[in-house]
Amino acid sequence: MLHLLEYWAARLALFGVDLLPPAAASRWAAALGSLWWTADRPRRRVAVSNILRAGVAGDGRQARAIGRGASRHMGMVLVESMKSARVLEDPERMRVDIPGDVAAVLEDPDRGLIVVSGHFGNWEIAGQWLSRYKPVAGISRPMNNPRVQKLALERRQRRAFRMIPKYDPDPGRFLKLLGNGEILALLVDQHARQGIDVPFFGHPAKTHTTAAMLHLVARTPLTFAVCRRTAPMTFELTLSPLIEQQRSGDRNADVEAIVRTLNSLLEEAIRRDPEQYLWGHRRWR
Amino acid sequence: MDSDGASEILARLRDVLRESAVEEHDWDAVVAETPIESLGFDSLTILDVLYDVEEEFGIALDPKQVVKTRTIGEIIALLQQNGA
């Protein structure tokens, strides 16, 4: 019964978003994000603690201001992802910086690419935009409510961008996907129970190793993506030059070297725009 | 397939699996007919094993060929084709 109520609430919210023009929908979502910040005390405490720990705020007051801004930002991310067609079809709304070595991979239909990012800016817009080159698969964790999950998946699929489940019985699925010349988009900044401890803002954080291992084993090119909002419904997508790690024979050392690089690229983006990061996640446990 | 060579590769493969795999398993019971899917790998642990297999045998496997294999025997054949 609760799932059904949640589903219809989600449908109603989407209906409202669809009726409003993008700018108004974005403002509405930001206001909801701000309201959420006020209402969700546990999440607020986590966010403020994370912001202070990361050292991107000088004091609690500044941390709360960043946290509220980040909550508004996340509201906007949801709406932007739903209304992404406006961004994707308007070159004025998407400034893109792709280094030559990455462009060569994107333009070669036979070469797969691993694109890594974090919950920064609008990562979904980045994935959807990149699907103009080749199919993109992003990984999503299943929601508790299967009805809302189905609705969200339907709304988030654009062009050749699709979401695939985090858990799947086929252990070779990522290798197959990359072997088919597709893009695998991975977010690496959630607490990874089976990950390795690597510094994130100077503090050890369990970090996912899938991207690093795929680069080392499948020898698939790897890049880091930052898609920051520069104005409402307007973005700047920057891909790093290819990150290359030669195999040393020491698996753990190779993986750690890559993961450290990925974390430092994410830190750099967050320091520049701390209000565009998802701070409410318990990153350090 | 060279059966002596295959036996030696199988023995080395068992050692690698014993060292690399996170899951508990009776690795001595692994034979050529053992289905890979019965070994309990997921999309991440399989990568750890592949890295270590390549290092053990000093070769680079084509992931497109690896994902086609269904049994340990097929992995052994692939290793032999690549010079192991």
Side-chain angles (χ1 to χ4, degrees):
Chain A
M1 187 62 185
L2 180 64
H3 281 185
L4 199 60
L5 281 174
E6 284 176 353
Y7 171 75
W8 282 106
R11 288 215 63 141
L12 193 64
L14 284 175
F15 179 71
V17 166
D18 286 342
L19 280 183
L20 290 171
S26 192
R27 279 197 301 274
W28 178 75
L32 275 184
S34 189
L35 192 65
W36 189 263
W37 173 258
T38 304
D40 190 350
R41 188 162 179 255
R43 189 72 66 189
R44 196 168 70 227
R45 290 178 70 170
V46 170
V48 168
S49 165
N50 284 346
I51 293 164
L52 289 171
R53 195 168 193 184
V56 296
D59 55 33
R61 187 176 172 181
Q62 198 181 358
R64 286 191 292 279
I66 290 173
R68 184 179 291 279
S71 194
R72 290 173 59 85
H73 163 75
M74 286 303 151
M76 292 164 79
V77 165
L78 287 176
V79 165
E80 288 159 355
S81 301
M82 302 294 173
K83 288 187 166 289
S84 60
R86 189 177 178 96
V87 176
L88 300 171
E89 286 159 17
D90 182 353
E92 295 294 313
R93 291 188 179 275
M94 197 75 177
R95 188 169 155 251
V96 181
D97 182 7
I98 301 180
D101 56 355
V102 179
V105 177
L106 287 171
E107 284 158 13
D108 183 342
D110 295 328
R111 297 183 74 189
L113 179 66
I114 305 161
V115 178
V116 171
S117 192
H119 290 81
F120 175 84
N122 195 322
W123 56 92
E124 285 216 11
I125 293 278
Q128 292 181 16
W129 193 89
L130 287 169
S131 70
R132 65 184 54 207
Y133 288 97
K134 45 180 77 195
V136 177
I139 296 175
S140 69
R141 199 172 54 183
M143 294 177 176
N144 293 333
N145 186 332
R147 289 173 188 269
V148 176
Q149 164 89 2
K150 188 167 179 286
L151 183 65
L153 284 178
E154 283 168 5
R155 290 296 297 246
R156 289 158 83 186
Q157 319 242 104
R158 293 277 193 284
R159 299 174 183 240
F161 176 81
R162 70 188 191 282
M163 302 304 294
I164 58 174
K166 185 172 180 182
Y167 300 105
D168 188 285
D170 179 6
R173 63 184 177 134
F174 296 149
L175 293 172
K176 286 177 194 162
L177 189 151
L178 294 170
N180 290 337
E182 297 186 31
I183 292 173
L184 180 63
L186 297 166
L187 301 176
V188 294
D189 59 338
Q190 299 271 292
H191 173 77
R193 201 159 35 90
Q194 293 179 319
I196 58 168
D197 273 319
V198 174
F200 184 56
F201 286 104
H203 305 283
K206 287 271 184 213
T207 308
H208 288 286
T209 58
T210 310
M213 281 306 299
L214 281 167
H215 171 65
L216 292 167
V217 171
R219 296 165 183 83
T220 306
L222 169 67
T223 182
F224 190 85
V226 172
C227 185
R228 59 186 286 268
R229 185 187 301 105
T230 52
M233 300 293 284
T234 305
F235 300 90
E236 180 186 79
L237 171 62
T238 307
L239 299 184
S240 75
L242 291 178
I243 298 161
E244 292 181 29
Q245 174 69 31
Q246 297 301 316
R247 284 169 56 147
S248 67
D250 182 338
R251 166 158 56 87
N252 293 337
D254 293 347
V255 168
E256 185 176 330
I258 296 170
V259 174
R260 277 178 181 268
T261 301
L262 298 173
N263 273 5
S264 68
L265 288 167
L266 178 57
E267 284 176 25
E268 193 180 304
I270 295 169
R271 282 200 179 90
R272 180 173 174 180
D273 296 288
E275 292 187 351
Q276 293 196 28
Y277 188 59
L278 177 70
W279 289 106
H281 171 68
R282 287 176 57 228
R283 186 69 184 89
W284 294 285
R285 298 184 192 179
Chain B
M1 189 189 296
D2 168 3
S3 62
D4 285 347
S7 301
E8 189 203 323
I9 290 172
L10 176 59
R12 289 169 68 187
L13 208 46
R14 283 194 195 115
D15 288 342
V16 173
L17 291 169
R18 196 174 284 115
E19 289 290 317
S20 308
V22 178
E23 299 291 324
E24 286 293 319
H25 196 89
D26 179 7
W27 299 111
D28 290 328
V30 169
V31 294
E33 293 74 26
T34 303
I36 294 167
E37 67 176 14
S38 71
L39 301 177
F41 299 129
D42 62 26
S43 50
L44 182 56
T45 53
I46 192 79
L47 299 175
D48 292 346
V49 170
L50 283 173
Y51 182 105
D52 292 344
V53 166
E54 289 185 337
E55 291 301 322
E56 168 65 20
F57 292 95
I59 56 176
L61 296 172
D62 179 354
K64 284 184 183 173
Q65 298 296 321
V66 172
V67 294
K68 287 181 189 164
T69 57
R70 294 285 170 268
T71 64
I72 288 293
E74 289 174 18
I75 286 279
I76 291 171
L78 188 60
L79 287 167
Q80 288 184 315
Q81 284 165 26
N82 284 274

